Amino acid sequence: MKTTTTAALALLALALPALGKEGPDGKGKGKGKGKGKCHPHPPLKPLVSSEALQADITLEGLRADAEKLQKIADDNDGNRVFGSAGHNSTVDWIYNTLKATGHYNVFKQPFTEQYSEGNATFTVDGKKVTSQIMTYTPSGTVTGGKIVAVNNLGCLEEDYPAEVAGSIALISRGECNFANKALNAKAAGALGAVVYNNVEGLVAGTLGGPSPDYAPIVGISQADGQAILAALAAGDVKVDLNVYSLIEVRVNYNVIAETIDGDHDNVLVVGAHSDSVKAGPGINDDGSGSIGILNVALALPKYKINNAVRFGWWGAEEFGKLGSYYYINQINKTESELAKLRAYLNFDMIASPNYIHSAYDGDGSTYGLVGPAGSDVIEKDFQDFYTANGFETIPKAFDGRSDYAAFIENGVPAGGIFTGAEEIKTEEEARLFGGVAGVALDANYHAIGDTIDNLAWDAFLLNAKSIANSVAKYALSWESLPKVTAHTRRYSGDITRSMKMARDALPHEHQEGLGPCGGEERATA
């Protein structure tokens, strides 16, 4: 559904280095200009160093940008969801800020994707029960209907008794994805489906895309599901379910900014996603990562660099990492362009209020999900930074939950840091990092409370300096990350995709998670 114009613009992003032939004033490098006039040489820049670039990252700068993002959300219905005025304003702010420096080739890359939003009301015997729609659910209304518990986990057609027809199916979370449950419920004749959690808290997720074969579907908490099961044991239960869903095509944007200086055949890519969910402003998820890399990008032009740095703010991450996948698919049209990407660093949620310090498990030593060759080095470099600053780190599964997925699936070495989402902090994590055990790492994850007041400023500053450390290191030298061949890159990408497919095929609940940013896997259609 992408137009020829859009495709042409997307391909323009591949040629960003070629656009850097003009000077910061946009008037060329001066060849053949102003004969007879003397122009003083600009002062020589010092070579970038970790210490100098870190010193440029300040709490004041991070706070000012957080206030800017908060205002954008406040002025636009309280969110920055993709394709909305709030997200478009975020894109424009990032683009204009970097363009004004004169030190970057900056490009807004458009792409078109399906958007979904909506709400639901659910009552049981006249009492309202908190519920949340699944992304891409169809609309539907049932008044005074019956609710019927399905057998097992609702992953097989035979799990649905005949009584489900014309009723609401009550299904436990687990084993298969939400799309599978919605398909089976509709095939059994259910007018709707309600999925209750198999752990504490409200369950939410995605169907992966729209389909006329889905039953309207919502999620509820484990406690509410168990209460309904207990009521069913005593007799019939009457319910009302009203699901409203809007599904439409929207244009969204990535922002790509590459340094004019540096070797454009050996590029470091640094990324964060610029969108929020509909429910809130997303100042931690992922305003924190967006701000962190922006502050580093604004400080970097003070220094001489050997390798070009390409910063990317990805759109529509919350709908399945759509922007980063679109970007890498455009890059992938020519193997020579993909070969220029020496490494990718991802920063998604770096200021969680009840934080941990985790680095992606590039060597696979903890979770068995190995990144492309060089990802182990990136992990070690992050660990060394925190150790040098007196902090512990723990590994984070390299499971494709954020925008690094498109890169590792194409053989690009990757890494990054993460401070936590809906996961509950353990006693051991509280010992290592402080905070409160038994409480979510970010209690406002994907919620209205993800505001500027939801940030841990000490973690934010440390992690922004960690970004600066890595950018300085790789902008200076790729000595620790030898360049891989096209064959090795393809092999690494094939292995990563194979491991992901094998993992996704396993019957476990994480196929149904809340979204790319958090600790659980996003469902697939």
Side-chain angles (χ1 to χ4, degrees):
M1 68 181 58
K2 300 172 180 66
T3 65
T4 302
T5 300
T6 300
L9 287 171
L11 287 172
L12 181 60
L14 305 183
L16 279 174
L19 300 179
K21 297 185 185 301
E22 65 179 25
D25 60 357
K27 298 179 180 178
K29 291 186 176 180
K31 290 184 179 179
K33 304 278 186 180
K35 291 182 178 179
K37 296 182 180 179
C38 292
H39 298 282
H41 291 290
L44 293 176
K45 296 179 180 180
L47 196 62
V48 68
S49 70
S50 171
E51 294 77 11
L53 194 57
Q54 285 187 58
D56 290 325
I57 307 305
T58 66
L59 194 58
E60 292 75 18
L62 300 176
R63 190 181 298 276
D65 286 350
E67 289 171 352
K68 177 66 178 179
L69 276 190
Q70 181 69 59
K71 186 175 189 308
I72 287 174
D74 290 344
D75 291 345
N76 292 282
D77 199 30
N79 67 73
R80 301 179 300 105
V81 70
F82 99 77
S84 69
H87 187 254
N88 290 341
S89 294
T90 302
V91 166
D92 289 343
W93 169 59
I94 294 169
Y95 175 87
N96 291 332
T97 298
L98 290 163
K99 193 74 174 175
T101 69
H103 293 285
Y104 287 92
N105 293 312
V106 193
F107 177 71
K108 283 196 281 190
Q109 182 185 43
F111 60 97
T112 304
E113 292 288 355
Q114 291 270 8
Y115 172 79
S116 172
E117 68 171 68
N119 54 64
T121 56
F122 178 50
T123 62
V124 178
D125 286 335
K127 296 181 180 179
K128 185 176 180 181
V129 174
T130 300
S131 63
Q132 186 163 320
I133 66 165
M134 303 292 179
T135 303
Y136 299 118
T137 178
S139 298
T141 300
V142 178
T143 303
K146 289 173 56 179
I147 190 165
V148 176
V150 307
N151 300 318
N152 304 313
L153 296 171
C155 296
L156 303 174
E157 290 184 4
E158 53 263 36
D159 290 339
Y160 293 75
E163 294 85 354
V164 165
S167 302
I168 301 295
L170 179 65
I171 313 168
S172 172
R173 179 185 184 183
E175 189 169 314
C176 59
N177 61 40
F178 294 133
N180 185 250
K181 297 174 194 284
L183 285 168
N184 286 338
K186 178 72 176 286
L191 301 179
V194 174
V195 177
Y196 62 93
N197 213 343
N198 54 6
V199 293
E200 289 186 10
L202 186 68
V203 63
T206 178
L207 304 181
S211 171
D213 297 323
Y214 292 147
I217 183 169
V218 301
I220 62 174
S221 70
Q222 182 183 46
D224 287 331
Q226 290 173 341
I228 296 171
L229 289 172
L232 283 171
D236 289 344
V237 174
K238 294 293 184 181
V239 298
D240 299 324
L241 177 65
N242 182 37
V243 177
Y244 164 73
S245 177
L246 169 67
I247 300 174
E248 63 184 14
V249 173
R250 288 186 172 185
V251 177
N252 198 212
Y253 297 91
N254 295 323
V255 179
I256 314 297
E258 184 162 333
T259 56
I260 291 173
D261 297 336
D263 179 358
H264 297 283
D265 290 329
N266 290 280
V267 180
L268 170 66
V269 186
V270 182
H273 71 85
S274 56
D275 63 315
S276 74
V277 294
K278 172 73 173 177
I283 306 303
N284 182 38
D285 181 17
D286 182 31
S288 60
S290 290
I291 291 166
I293 71 171
L294 179 61
N295 275 249
V296 173
L298 292 175
L300 188 59
K302 291 171 56 178
Y303 305 98
K304 181 182 182 296
I305 57 176
N306 295 325
N307 301 310
V309 181
R310 186 179 302 174
F311 294 90
W313 287 263
W314 316 120
E317 188 269 357
E318 297 291 3
F319 279 72
K321 308 170 289 272
L322 302 179
S324 53
Y325 271 109
Y326 180 80
Y327 175 75
I328 206 71
N329 285 340
Q330 303 309 304
I331 291 287
N332 226 348
K333 290 180 177 179
T334 58
E335 192 168 275
S336 61
E337 287 299 327
L338 186 64
K340 294 175 182 178
L341 309 186
R342 295 293 300 273
Y344 174 71
L345 305 180
N346 192 72
F347 301 98
D348 189 353
M349 303 181 69
I350 64 169
S352 302
N354 196 27
Y355 62 84
I356 58 173
H357 292 304
S358 64
Y360 290 112
D361 184 28
D363 64 3
S365 60
T366 301
Y367 295 99
L369 299 167
V370 181
S375 301
D376 55 338
V377 177
I378 296 172
E379 179 188 9
K380 180 65 163 54
D381 287 342
F382 277 115
Q383 291 170 337
D384 288 347
F385 169 83
Y386 288 92
T387 299
N389 284 276
F391 294 92
E392 300 281 350
T393 58
I394 59 175
K396 171 76 174 74
F398 222 7
D399 55 10
R401 282 292 310 278
S402 192
D403 287 304
Y404 61 81
F407 292 86
I408 64 174
E409 289 171 23
N410 285 276
V412 179
I417 54 176
F418 174 70
T419 55
E422 80 277 19
E423 310 93 334
I424 303 301
K425 177 168 274 188
T426 66
E427 293 285 351
E428 175 63 11
E429 290 168 347
R431 184 188 69 80
L432 290 173
F433 308 110
V436 182
V439 175
L441 302 177
D442 185 351
N444 291 300
Y445 171 66
H446 282 189
I448 193 172
D450 189 5
T451 67
I452 193 170
D453 297 322
N454 191 49
L455 302 177
W457 294 101
D458 56 340
F460 199 178
L461 181 60
L462 176 67
N463 292 326
K465 287 179 179 289
S466 176
I467 299 171
N469 173 69
S470 293
V471 168
K473 179 181 180 64
Y474 301 127
L476 191 61
S477 171
W478 287 115
E479 182 180 2
S480 63
L481 278 172
K483 194 166 187 174
V484 298
T485 65
H487 172 76
T488 304
R489 187 184 296 276
R490 285 194 297 270
Y491 177 78
S492 292
D494 289 345
I495 292 296
T496 301
R497 288 191 296 273
S498 297
M499 292 176 66
K500 180 179 184 297
M501 290 174 62
R503 182 176 182 273
D504 288 349
L506 293 174
H508 61 87
E509 68 181 41
H510 296 313
Q511 287 178 290
E512 300 179 341
L514 298 178
C517 305
E520 296 184 336
E521 180 85 2
R522 177 179 284 279
T524 54

